[in-house]
Amino acid sequence: QRDLLTVGEALVSLRSSGPLAAGGPLSMHLAGAESNVAIGLARLGHRAAWAGRVSDDELGEFVLRQLRAEGVDTTDVRRDPQRPTGLMFLERRTADVSRVRYHRAGSAGAALDVDDLRAPLAAGARLLHLSGITPALSASARDAVTWAVRAAAESGIPVSLDVNYRAGLWSRADARATLTPLAGYASVVVASTDELDLVAGAGADERAVATDLLRRGVSTVLVKLGADGARAWTADGVEQVPAVPVTAVDTVGAGDAFTAGYLSGHLDGLDLTDRLRRAVALGAFAVAGHGDWEGLPRRDELSLITGSAAG
Ligand code: KDG
C-alpha cells in the first residue's frame, strides 16, 4: 500500500541567478509544493505517489522523469495533449530578494478534475496530502480537491492540508471561503502565522484558530515559525520546537520539506515531539541548499545537520 498520495500541479521552474530583465542563463528545475512533499517522503524511503496532469510534451516528460528519478510513484499522472505544463520563473533579483512569476493559467495542471483522482483515491494510501494551492488553480481543480477530501474521509484516509497561500493566484477572501471548510476535513493542518486567518472563522489569533480547528475535528495544527521553529496544537495542548540552526541560502521549498518531515514522522509512528523535530530538520535541509527539494536528505543523512533525535 502507498504511504502517501499527494495531488497538485507540478511546474517547471526556471531559475535566474540575476535580474530577469537583464536576461542571462536560466536553469530548469521541477517545482510544485505537493511534488516537493512527495520527493521529501520518497527520499526517506516512504512509498509516495503524486497525481496530477502534465503536458504531453518534453516539459511533461521532464516532470515525470524528475519524479521517477526520485522514486515517486507516477502511475496515476495524466498526460494532457491540449495544455502546456505551467512555468514558474524564480528570479534572484538581489542576493537577498527572490521573486516568483507564474505562467500557469490554462495549464495542464490547472485542468485537474475529479476524474483524474478517482483511480488514485481508489488505490488507497495511509495519508492524503493536499495544499491550498490546488483549489486556487481552477473551478475543476477546486471541485477535485473537495471531492478528494470527502472520498478520503469516507475511506478513512487521514488528510493533511498545507495552506500555502499564493497571493498571485487568489485573494485572501476567496482563499478563506474555500480553505476554511476544506480544513474541517483534515486531520493535520499546516500553516504559517500569516495564513491562520484563512482556515477558520476566528480571525488571526493563533490560539483561537487552533481551538476552532480542533473543535472541528482536526487532530494537529502545525504553525511554522521559520527561524523560530514550529508549534503544534493538539487536544493535549501546545508544543514548540526550535529550528535547527543552519546557514540559509534558499528558503523556497522549506515549508514543503517541513510538511514532508512531519508526515514521515507520522508514518514512522514517532511521537509528536519527534515528528516536529524531523519536520524542522527537513526544513533546515531545504533552506541550507539551493532548489525546492534538491537538498532534502535520504534517511541515512538525517543526522547530518541535526545532531538531534530527528533520525
Ligand atoms: O513551495 C514551493 C512552491 O512555491 C513551488 O515549488 C511552486 O507550487 C508552487 C507554487 O505554486 O508556488
Side-chain angles (χ1 to χ4, degrees):
Q1 197 199 13
R2 289 168 171 175
D3 293 320
L4 175 100
L5 169 65
T6 184
V7 171
E9 178 173 22
L11 301 163
V12 168
S13 145
L14 299 168
R15 288 177 164 248
S16 76
S17 51
L20 273 182
L26 296 169
S27 56
M28 181 170 170
H29 304 264
L30 169 67
E34 304 81 5
S35 48
N36 292 344
V37 171
I39 290 171
L41 284 157
R43 285 241 177 135
L44 292 176
H46 302 285
R47 284 162 305 215
W50 178 84
R53 277 201 208 187
V54 300
S55 54
D56 201 12
D57 61 4
E58 292 76 9
L59 295 190
E61 196 58 35
F62 171 77
V63 167
L64 287 175
R65 283 175 66 103
Q66 295 292 96
L67 289 170
R68 287 178 187 142
E70 291 297 330
V72 174
D73 181 344
T74 57
T75 312
D76 293 305
V77 175
R78 282 219 187 156
R79 307 295 297 264
D80 186 327
Q82 258 101 44
R83 297 178 181 83
T85 288
L87 299 180
M88 171 179 144
F89 287 87
L90 190 66
E91 174 187 36
R92 182 154 283 236
R93 183 63 186 80
T94 71
D96 298 315
V97 178
S98 291
R99 298 194 290 200
V100 169
R101 187 176 294 280
Y102 296 120
H103 290 252
R104 69 198 298 183
S107 66
L112 183 81
D113 67 20
V114 172
D115 286 335
D116 296 336
L117 301 187
R118 292 187 199 281
L121 259 297
R126 290 173 63 197
L127 290 172
L128 171 66
H129 175 69
L130 300 165
S131 91
I133 299 172
T134 314
L137 299 176
S138 68
S140 72
R142 188 175 62 236
D143 291 348
V145 166
T146 306
W147 178 86
V149 293
R150 290 191 183 139
E154 276 166 25
S155 325
I157 302 173
V159 173
S160 72
L161 175 71
D162 184 353
V163 178
N164 256 328
Y165 176 63
R166 295 288 182 266
L169 297 178
W170 55 353
S171 69
R172 296 191 78 88
D174 287 347
R176 187 176 302 117
T178 297
L179 298 180
T180 296
L182 267 188
Y185 287 93
S187 78
V188 178
V189 172
V190 187
S192 44
T193 44
D194 59 353
E195 293 172 335
L196 288 167
D197 63 309
L198 303 178
V199 283
D205 177 71
E206 185 176 319
R207 177 180 295 273
V209 170
T211 304
D212 181 64
L213 288 169
L214 296 174
R215 186 184 50 77
R216 287 195 285 143
V218 175
S219 321
T220 312
V221 181
L222 298 174
V223 182
K224 296 176 287 184
L225 305 170
D228 290 327
R231 257 194 302 273
W233 296 78
T234 67
D236 296 331
V238 57
E239 176 151 352
Q240 182 162 343
V241 295
V244 179
V246 287
T247 305
V249 298
D250 177 2
T251 57
V252 179
D256 307 327
F258 174 90
T259 300
Y262 182 86
L263 297 178
S264 163
H266 172 96
L267 289 164
D268 284 349
L270 301 186
D271 68 17
L272 181 63
T273 309
D274 285 343
R275 276 180 262 157
L276 287 171
R277 286 197 184 137
R278 188 172 289 176
V280 295
L282 256 71
F285 271 99
V287 301
H290 290 282
D292 273 33
W293 50 267
E294 284 84 339
L296 296 182
R298 287 184 300 276
R299 192 167 280 259
D300 62 354
E301 297 175 317
L302 269 176
S303 57
L304 264 185
I305 63 168
T306 65
S308 73

